Amino acid sequence: MEVGDWKVKLSDIPKKEYFQNLINFLNLQAREKKTIYPPRGQWFKAFELTHFKDVKVVILGQDPYHNPGQAQGMSFSVPEGVSLPPSLRNIFQEIQSDIGINNQSGDLSSWAKQGVLLLNSVLTVEKNQPASHAGKGWEEFTDYVIELINKEKENVVFMLWGAYAQKKASNIDSNRHLILQSPHPSPFSAHKGFFGCQHFSKTNNYLKINNIDPINWKL
């Protein structure tokens, strides 16, 4: 798990029984010739691009995109040149409405490099099988990541979109961090309160108040 300064923070994880079971499950999937997204080398990309010391914002997703060519190891992000999935299109619509930025590329790497941890709760999925790797151990791993950030950092913004992400709010100290909650940006729920949530301007206002450099949301 070559993941920058996370390596020290997560050094005990590979020894945990749940994590060994998870890796065994993923290796079995590979032996059975199942197609897993994202590719193995990108499972921990969010941690490679956003070091622990740099985390300012956490945007929590559920599991990776399950269609070919989309997932790249960061929640909601797709590679340069890939058509925008509906949820990401709605995120960009809210950014334009909120702060007047018009993004076209779906590659969110520049956000990650500024300290936005684009974290899915489950880090892998089988092709065309949404939530197929839920309950296999990833949730325990990513809950631990959230716990680390909550306990060891201050003034981090957590964007929790939709009921699934909002379950994590109970693990976050709202006296130390800012929790922003809204419906999910998917087409099924974006009109129920995601549009108009102004999470991007609220994030930057909070960071500035706490003498932290704001995020440039322009891609």
Side-chain angles (χ1 to χ4, degrees), residues 174-189:
S174 59
N175 294 315
R176 291 167 62 90
H177 307 287
L178 177 64
I179 304 172
L180 296 176
Q181 302 187 58
S182 81
H184 196 275
S186 80
F188 303 106
S189 54

Side-chain angles (χ1 to χ4, degrees), residues 57-110:
V57 180
V58 177
I59 299 181
L60 189 66
Q62 191 160 350
D63 64 348
Y65 298 120
H66 56 84
N67 293 323
Q70 293 184 320
Q72 59 171 173
M74 299 178 287
S75 61
F76 297 104
S77 184
V78 293
E80 182 76 35
V82 172
S83 296
L84 301 181
S87 292
L88 185 55
R89 197 178 307 125
N90 288 338
I91 290 169
F92 285 178
Q93 184 174 328
E94 175 57 24
I95 289 174
Q96 184 166 25
S97 170
D98 184 15
I99 53 178
I101 288 173
N102 181 19
N103 285 328
Q104 303 294 328
S105 169
D107 185 350
L108 309 183
S109 297
S110 74

Side-chain angles (χ1 to χ4, degrees), residues 11-168:
S11 60
D12 288 339
I13 295 295
K15 305 168 194 167
K16 302 283 187 185
E17 183 179 4
Y18 83 84
F19 196 81
Q20 292 174 0
N21 291 339
L22 169 63
I23 296 303
N24 288 339
F25 163 76
L26 292 167
N27 288 338
L28 178 62
Q29 294 269 292
R31 286 197 297 274
E32 292 177 350
K33 306 299 183 187
K34 302 283 180 67
T35 301
I36 305 302
Y37 296 137
R40 184 180 288 261
Q42 295 182 357
W43 292 352
F44 300 102
K45 186 172 180 180
F47 301 93
E48 293 167 7
L49 294 186
T50 310
H51 293 177
F52 181 82
K53 66 180 176 58
D54 298 328
V55 174
K56 303 176 185 178
V57 180
V58 177
I59 299 181
L60 189 66
Q62 191 160 350
D63 64 348
Y65 298 120
H66 56 84
N67 293 323
Q70 293 184 320
Q72 59 171 173
M74 299 178 287
S75 61
F76 297 104
S77 184
V78 293
E80 182 76 35
V82 172
S83 296
L84 301 181
S87 292
L88 185 55
R89 197 178 307 125
N90 288 338
I91 290 169
F92 285 178
Q93 184 174 328
E94 175 57 24
I95 289 174
Q96 184 166 25
S97 170
D98 184 15
I99 53 178
I101 288 173
N102 181 19
N103 285 328
Q104 303 294 328
S105 169
D107 185 350
L108 309 183
S109 297
S110 74
W111 294 0
K113 291 171 183 175
Q114 295 177 72
V116 181
L117 182 64
L118 297 160
L119 181 67
N120 279 317
S121 183
V122 175
L123 300 189
T124 56
V125 70
E126 186 180 339
K127 178 183 179 182
N128 297 332
Q129 301 289 328
S132 51
H133 290 183
K136 303 298 184 183
W138 280 128
E139 294 94 337
E140 193 166 346
F141 171 71
T142 54
D143 281 356
Y144 181 69
V145 168
I146 292 170
E147 183 182 321
L148 268 178
I149 295 169
N150 177 58
K151 286 184 175 178
E152 297 191 18
K153 297 188 72 72
E154 292 185 355
N155 305 131
V156 172
V157 181
F158 289 84
M159 294 191 191
L160 306 180
W161 299 333
Y164 184 87
Q166 287 163 14
K167 291 176 185 174
K168 309 296 184 184

